[in-house]
Amino acid sequence: MADNVKVAVLSRQSKLIIQMSGNQTCITDPSSGQDKKFAFDYSYWSHDGFKEKTNGYLEPANSKYADQKRVFDDLGRGVLDNAWKGYNCSLFAYGQTGSGKSYSMIGYGANKGIVPVACEELFRAIDEKRPSLQAGEEFQVSLSMTEIYNEQVRDLLVTKSTVGGLKVRQHPKKGFYVEQLTIAPVSSYAQIEAKIADGSHNRTVAATNMNATSSRAHTIVAISFVQKSQGAGGQNMTKTSVMNLVDLAGSERAESTGATGDRLKEGSAINLSLSTLGNCIKALADQSSGNSKVMVPFRDSVLTKLLQNALGGNSKTVMIAALSPADINFDETLSTLRFADRAKAIKTKAVVNESPTDKLIRELREENSRLMAMLKAGGGGGGDITDGGGDTGEDQAESEERMRELMKKNQEEMEAMERAWAEKLAQAQAEAQEQIQERKAESERKKNVPHLWNLNEDAALSGMIVQFVDPGAVQTVGRDGDFQLKGVNIQARHAVLKNVNGSVTVTPIDLAKVFVNGQEVNQETQLRHHDRVLFGTNHLYVFHHPVDYAKQVKSGQDVSPPTFEEAQSEIAESSGVMGLLGDKAKSNSAEDMLLMDDLVKLYPQLQEANAMSEEMDRRVWFELVLVSAQGRGLREGEGRTEVCVSVQNLDNNNEFFWSKEKFSDRKYLMQDMYQNYTEGADWELAKEKDPFWDPPDTPIMIGTIHVYLQSLAYLIEVSESFNVTDFRGEDQGKLDIELRPCGDNWEELTDEYAEPEDLLGQALNFKIKIHGGRDLSAKFASYFCQYKFYLEDQYTKTGEVAKPVNPRFEFEHQYSFKPATKQLLEYLQHSYTIVELWGKQRCSDKKVNKSTKELMKEKRKAQAESAKALGAQKKSISKQATGEDVATLRAELDSLKKRNERSEAKLKQLQAMVNDAKKQGNETIEVDTLDKVLSAPAPGGGQGRMKLRQAALAMSAVYSGFGAAPEVAEKRKAALGKNASSTCSVQ
């Protein structure tokens, strides 16, 4: 019988866009207010509605809140019951980083998650049944712990990792498995807890040394539960269940949207597992709905190979989708809900794994005999024994090696069945007892000895590394130090830790990078309780002083340890990078809070990338920049300001801009490259594969222009040079653009005028011309322009012109609307089109005769001088605008306001005069009349006349000169902020 995958969603965090009722989850789009509803097996609310007990357990304060006990009773108990019946079980936790996956799976403090409670309950039931066991009956529990990072499998129960990761093989009957994986026998939950702690410690050390990010790694804890008993006929029976407990990487990495189109996107294996998992779930859901022709791509990633049974085979499966109800995470939360919605349609077919023990041993022997015969015959016929890659034509040596490995695994399984479990367990217990004693001793030592403990973005990995600083100790920190650290920006002898009479200090060696509480230190610095210490770019620790801690507790001070986010925030704040936000740094709006969050997260990554570039002499400088939506060529309201990364070539000053997603993906490739560099492997890559390099002919946006279209609604032509302004608000040159109303035969109209309402329902023809650019930067080898007009989805582009400085596009595009609609005319009167200027930079392989380290030093010095000069300029302006100067400025502002009001009144009078003349059928207006309105000498004498069009043009000039300029300036300021652009003035 097929079982649907059970799906439960849990919601945690703040600024709510989620509501839950029964098994239904409703999410509200914060921009439109529209609701989307989803139904699952369970919907749990864990954001608020709880009260904390004295032991720290969060119990419900109302019926809405779902505590850990309720979640286990609904989900974990079913997993445990099925394990006793002999079914394979799988429990997935999926969701955005920080949404509560690990809390649900592992828990925190007194709030134990599903995994520890399930293990406790399993051994409690075993202990209850053990006294009544008959001869030959026994229970066997063993555990393995693996991590998948960047498509490589690591055994977390061993200290030393295998270069390139462990191999994944495929058994013809049992499916995929990890070769040489440690499977540790355990006899109590304390031993499981100790093993998981060891695995987490090894994971933390490896991740820190390799600069890996835990949020991009998948962790699989597999608990094997074997029940041996005697059947009705006296046969020895074996019932086996494997519980796979899977903590998936953050789902925000499932799609690398920002890296779309990046030439190295496919080269980054970091995203492969989650994206393939999504493809598998979609295909399985399609199969469950009747589409049997769909192929499920299990073989496309390591994760999906190992989880094939859990998703589409012999397993009872539960998926937990953890949600963030914060409005700034709407897109990620909606994506998680849709993922879970597809998963619930999957059907699995679990069977009880029970067979006579003698039969299992016999089958393994028969299979080994068959493999031996195949080897003697030259390795033929082994096509069903693969690593899951689907390769054909593999050489005979590889085939024979795989058969030998399978024979070895079969032999190990036979020996395990025949060998007394008590013997294996005794050996494992001795090792486990030693580990437990070591941990107890370490725990006691923490209470008395000052020490550093690691701070990780994954709270479950914080505190896994502890370095004691004993009284009188003098310890070196670094690659070759007493306290060994590896990775980017870590020197062989990096710093010295001392403990003199209970006072602990840290001293950098030879200008090595050491930060205390976000501030770089270059001399001996005393450490105080809960100080944050950063070595290099990513070794972050918290100092614990037992004496200071005791004093704080006694005085009633808050002794809560600092969080990873707090530590990163102070580092970013001290660096000055938060200055990019300006006044936004004090804002509490969702958009500005998201900007701050992005800066805090990206800054350490940027520092790491610069450090890798410096150490490997890649001659590239990375810098964070803020780019408004309008600075990216979008209209007001179409997007938000985003953090991007400026990538600068230090030899030729070419500059590229990467989205934060593209930068993050490239950084993981840089880490792979750096890892090979530190290991002495072949690390140099061809340019096409170099993550630090972008081709010079990659187009970049130089700047934009906002061309207002109001004149076309009056059939008035415009010819003007517009300033091209980049996202920093700096002028990059000019573009000559014309707007030309045309007749039915595309003749250009030069002496026409109409009111917009007169054009309604009539044919409207006009041309947009882009003649050329002036005063553009010579760093570009070629240029082109593009824009979207009205309802166009695709860009209209000029040709690419390979002429520096003053390119001539001589571009012309005709627009014909038959008839002109109200929507079109309103667009022309009140909107604008954004013309983007793009360029391709000059290609130069010439290198400056300096190292990356020297060039970066010069770059930092220039930046510091620039910042100092800017600060002095601001201070000077501030001093000038005081006292009498402020009063003068206010007086001038009042005067300008009054002049503007008078100009508006004159404009209204002129408009009324034109309307009256049209109603009376007059084509002329007396100049004297206009003269009185304008309070200026009438041109050509008292009774001179001018044509209606000339009057309209005069009116337009007044409108442009007085009424529109402040309004246009205000629009420009609001639309682009610093990115000021010229508008189309009616001439």
Side-chain angles (χ1 to χ4, degrees), residues 746-760:
W746 293 104
E747 68 277 11
E748 295 181 356
L749 304 178
T750 57
D751 196 28
E752 295 292 332
Y753 173 80
E755 287 289 336
E757 54 264 31
D758 296 334
L759 297 176
L760 185 62

PDB file of all heavy atoms in Angstrom, residues 746-760:
ATOM      1  N   TRP A 746       4.803  59.831 -42.118  1.00  0.00           N
ATOM      2  CA  TRP A 746       6.018  59.925 -41.321  1.00  0.00           C
ATOM      3  C   TRP A 746       6.838  61.185 -41.593  1.00  0.00           C
ATOM      4  O   TRP A 746       8.033  61.230 -41.322  1.00  0.00           O
ATOM      5  CB  TRP A 746       6.900  58.671 -41.483  1.00  0.00           C
ATOM      6  CG  TRP A 746       6.240  57.471 -40.900  1.00  0.00           C
ATOM      7  CD1 TRP A 746       5.629  56.471 -41.573  1.00  0.00           C
ATOM      8  CD2 TRP A 746       6.071  57.193 -39.509  1.00  0.00           C
ATOM      9  NE1 TRP A 746       5.082  55.554 -40.702  1.00  0.00           N
ATOM     10  CE2 TRP A 746       5.346  55.984 -39.414  1.00  0.00           C
ATOM     11  CE3 TRP A 746       6.468  57.840 -38.333  1.00  0.00           C
ATOM     12  CZ2 TRP A 746       5.005  55.427 -38.198  1.00  0.00           C
ATOM     13  CZ3 TRP A 746       6.130  57.279 -37.119  1.00  0.00           C
ATOM     14  CH2 TRP A 746       5.395  56.084 -37.064  1.00  0.00           C
ATOM     15  N   GLU A 747       6.168  62.207 -42.159  1.00  0.00           N
ATOM     16  CA  GLU A 747       6.849  63.496 -42.259  1.00  0.00           C
ATOM     17  C   GLU A 747       6.891  64.119 -40.864  1.00  0.00           C
ATOM     18  O   GLU A 747       5.934  64.021 -40.109  1.00  0.00           O
ATOM     19  CB  GLU A 747       6.131  64.430 -43.245  1.00  0.00           C
ATOM     20  CG  GLU A 747       4.755  64.926 -42.808  1.00  0.00           C
ATOM     21  CD  GLU A 747       3.617  63.940 -43.100  1.00  0.00           C
ATOM     22  OE1 GLU A 747       3.926  62.771 -43.452  1.00  0.00           O
ATOM     23  OE2 GLU A 747       2.451  64.337 -42.998  1.00  0.00           O
ATOM     24  N   GLU A 748       8.014  64.699 -40.523  1.00  0.00           N
ATOM     25  CA  GLU A 748       8.182  65.267 -39.192  1.00  0.00           C
ATOM     26  C   GLU A 748       7.442  66.588 -39.073  1.00  0.00           C
ATOM     27  O   GLU A 748       7.607  67.494 -39.895  1.00  0.00           O
ATOM     28  CB  GLU A 748       9.669  65.445 -38.886  1.00  0.00           C
ATOM     29  CG  GLU A 748      10.415  64.110 -38.815  1.00  0.00           C
ATOM     30  CD  GLU A 748      11.888  64.267 -38.496  1.00  0.00           C
ATOM     31  OE1 GLU A 748      12.339  65.427 -38.409  1.00  0.00           O
ATOM     32  OE2 GLU A 748      12.580  63.241 -38.342  1.00  0.00           O
ATOM     33  N   LEU A 749       6.608  66.694 -38.033  1.00  0.00           N
ATOM     34  CA  LEU A 749       5.804  67.897 -37.819  1.00  0.00           C
ATOM     35  C   LEU A 749       6.618  68.925 -37.038  1.00  0.00           C
ATOM     36  O   LEU A 749       7.201  68.597 -36.008  1.00  0.00           O
ATOM     37  CB  LEU A 749       4.526  67.541 -37.053  1.00  0.00           C
ATOM     38  CG  LEU A 749       3.631  66.462 -37.687  1.00  0.00           C
ATOM     39  CD1 LEU A 749       2.431  66.182 -36.801  1.00  0.00           C
ATOM     40  CD2 LEU A 749       3.173  66.867 -39.078  1.00  0.00           C
ATOM     41  N   THR A 750       6.633  70.146 -37.558  1.00  0.00           N
ATOM     42  CA  THR A 750       7.416  71.192 -36.889  1.00  0.00           C
ATOM     43  C   THR A 750       6.581  72.406 -36.522  1.00  0.00           C
ATOM     44  O   THR A 750       7.063  73.294 -35.840  1.00  0.00           O
ATOM     45  CB  THR A 750       8.570  71.646 -37.794  1.00  0.00           C
ATOM     46  OG1 THR A 750       8.039  72.105 -39.045  1.00  0.00           O
ATOM     47  CG2 THR A 750       9.548  70.500 -38.038  1.00  0.00           C
ATOM     48  N   ASP A 751       5.334  72.455 -36.975  1.00  0.00           N
ATOM     49  CA  ASP A 751       4.532  73.646 -36.704  1.00  0.00           C
ATOM     50  C   ASP A 751       3.107  73.245 -36.328  1.00  0.00           C
ATOM     51  O   ASP A 751       2.138  73.757 -36.876  1.00  0.00           O
ATOM     52  CB  ASP A 751       4.531  74.553 -37.942  1.00  0.00           C
ATOM     53  CG  ASP A 751       4.049  75.964 -37.612  1.00  0.00           C
ATOM     54  OD1 ASP A 751       4.234  76.374 -36.459  1.00  0.00           O
ATOM     55  OD2 ASP A 751       3.499  76.621 -38.510  1.00  0.00           O
ATOM     56  N   GLU A 752       3.020  72.277 -35.407  1.00  0.00           N
ATOM     57  CA  GLU A 752       1.722  71.751 -35.002  1.00  0.00           C
ATOM     58  C   GLU A 752       1.575  71.829 -33.485  1.00  0.00           C
ATOM     59  O   GLU A 752       2.556  71.903 -32.748  1.00  0.00           O
ATOM     60  CB  GLU A 752       1.572  70.300 -35.457  1.00  0.00           C
ATOM     61  CG  GLU A 752       1.548  70.107 -36.962  1.00  0.00           C
ATOM     62  CD  GLU A 752       0.297  70.676 -37.594  1.00  0.00           C
ATOM     63  OE1 GLU A 752      -0.749  70.727 -36.926  1.00  0.00           O
ATOM     64  OE2 GLU A 752       0.375  71.074 -38.772  1.00  0.00           O
ATOM     65  N   TYR A 753       0.312  71.821 -33.060  1.00  0.00           N
ATOM     66  CA  TYR A 753       0.024  71.782 -31.630  1.00  0.00           C
ATOM     67  C   TYR A 753      -1.353  71.173 -31.433  1.00  0.00           C
ATOM     68  O   TYR A 753      -2.266  71.402 -32.243  1.00  0.00           O
ATOM     69  CB  TYR A 753       0.058  73.183 -31.016  1.00  0.00           C
ATOM     70  CG  TYR A 753      -0.408  73.186 -29.564  1.00  0.00           C
ATOM     71  CD1 TYR A 753       0.446  72.796 -28.553  1.00  0.00           C
ATOM     72  CD2 TYR A 753      -1.713  73.550 -29.245  1.00  0.00           C
ATOM     73  CE1 TYR A 753       0.023  72.780 -27.239  1.00  0.00           C
ATOM     74  CE2 TYR A 753      -2.144  73.534 -27.932  1.00  0.00           C
ATOM     75  CZ  TYR A 753      -1.279  73.148 -26.930  1.00  0.00           C
ATOM     76  OH  TYR A 753      -1.691  73.121 -25.635  1.00  0.00           O
ATOM     77  N   ALA A 754      -1.512  70.390 -30.381  1.00  0.00           N
ATOM     78  CA  ALA A 754      -2.821  69.822 -30.047  1.00  0.00           C
ATOM     79  C   ALA A 754      -2.886  69.581 -28.558  1.00  0.00           C
ATOM     80  O   ALA A 754      -1.860  69.360 -27.896  1.00  0.00           O
ATOM     81  CB  ALA A 754      -3.049  68.519 -30.802  1.00  0.00           C
ATOM     82  N   GLU A 755      -4.086  69.646 -28.045  1.00  0.00           N
ATOM     83  CA  GLU A 755      -4.318  69.263 -26.657  1.00  0.00           C
ATOM     84  C   GLU A 755      -4.434  67.747 -26.602  1.00  0.00           C
ATOM     85  O   GLU A 755      -4.905  67.111 -27.560  1.00  0.00           O
ATOM     86  CB  GLU A 755      -5.598  69.897 -26.127  1.00  0.00           C
ATOM     87  CG  GLU A 755      -5.494  71.378 -25.874  1.00  0.00           C
ATOM     88  CD  GLU A 755      -4.634  71.704 -24.671  1.00  0.00           C
ATOM     89  OE1 GLU A 755      -4.492  70.843 -23.791  1.00  0.00           O
ATOM     90  OE2 GLU A 755      -4.093  72.826 -24.629  1.00  0.00           O
ATOM     91  N   PRO A 756      -4.019  67.130 -25.505  1.00  0.00           N
ATOM     92  CA  PRO A 756      -4.101  65.663 -25.404  1.00  0.00           C
ATOM     93  C   PRO A 756      -5.507  65.129 -25.664  1.00  0.00           C
ATOM     94  O   PRO A 756      -5.666  64.098 -26.332  1.00  0.00           O
ATOM     95  CB  PRO A 756      -3.649  65.381 -23.975  1.00  0.00           C
ATOM     96  CG  PRO A 756      -2.751  66.516 -23.639  1.00  0.00           C
ATOM     97  CD  PRO A 756      -3.329  67.711 -24.337  1.00  0.00           C
ATOM     98  N   GLU A 757      -6.543  65.843 -25.172  1.00  0.00           N
ATOM     99  CA  GLU A 757      -7.911  65.353 -25.385  1.00  0.00           C
ATOM    100  C   GLU A 757      -8.309  65.378 -26.859  1.00  0.00           C
ATOM    101  O   GLU A 757      -9.159  64.607 -27.295  1.00  0.00           O
ATOM    102  CB  GLU A 757      -8.912  66.151 -24.544  1.00  0.00           C
ATOM    103  CG  GLU A 757      -8.845  67.650 -24.752  1.00  0.00           C
ATOM    104  CD  GLU A 757      -7.983  68.326 -23.692  1.00  0.00           C
ATOM    105  OE1 GLU A 757      -7.033  67.683 -23.222  1.00  0.00           O
ATOM    106  OE2 GLU A 757      -8.287  69.483 -23.354  1.00  0.00           O
ATOM    107  N   ASP A 758      -7.644  66.264 -27.658  1.00  0.00           N
ATOM    108  CA  ASP A 758      -7.942  66.321 -29.091  1.00  0.00           C
ATOM    109  C   ASP A 758      -7.360  65.114 -29.820  1.00  0.00           C
ATOM    110  O   ASP A 758      -7.816  64.771 -30.922  1.00  0.00           O
ATOM    111  CB  ASP A 758      -7.393  67.607 -29.701  1.00  0.00           C
ATOM    112  CG  ASP A 758      -8.072  68.844 -29.125  1.00  0.00           C
ATOM    113  OD1 ASP A 758      -9.233  68.707 -28.675  1.00  0.00           O
ATOM    114  OD2 ASP A 758      -7.451  69.918 -29.100  1.00  0.00           O
ATOM    115  N   LEU A 759      -6.305  64.502 -29.228  1.00  0.00           N
ATOM    116  CA  LEU A 759      -5.657  63.356 -29.871  1.00  0.00           C
ATOM    117  C   LEU A 759      -6.348  62.035 -29.546  1.00  0.00           C
ATOM    118  O   LEU A 759      -6.069  61.018 -30.182  1.00  0.00           O
ATOM    119  CB  LEU A 759      -4.194  63.270 -29.431  1.00  0.00           C
ATOM    120  CG  LEU A 759      -3.293  64.457 -29.811  1.00  0.00           C
ATOM    121  CD1 LEU A 759      -1.909  64.273 -29.216  1.00  0.00           C
ATOM    122  CD2 LEU A 759      -3.214  64.596 -31.324  1.00  0.00           C
ATOM    123  N   LEU A 760      -7.245  62.046 -28.543  1.00  0.00           N
ATOM    124  CA  LEU A 760      -7.916  60.817 -28.135  1.00  0.00           C
ATOM    125  C   LEU A 760      -8.727  60.238 -29.288  1.00  0.00           C
ATOM    126  O   LEU A 760      -9.553  60.924 -29.889  1.00  0.00           O
ATOM    127  CB  LEU A 760      -8.828  61.104 -26.944  1.00  0.00           C
ATOM    128  CG  LEU A 760      -9.521  59.893 -26.307  1.00  0.00           C
ATOM    129  CD1 LEU A 760      -8.492  58.934 -25.740  1.00  0.00           C
ATOM    130  CD2 LEU A 760     -10.487  60.343 -25.219  1.00  0.00           C
TER     131      LEU A 760
END
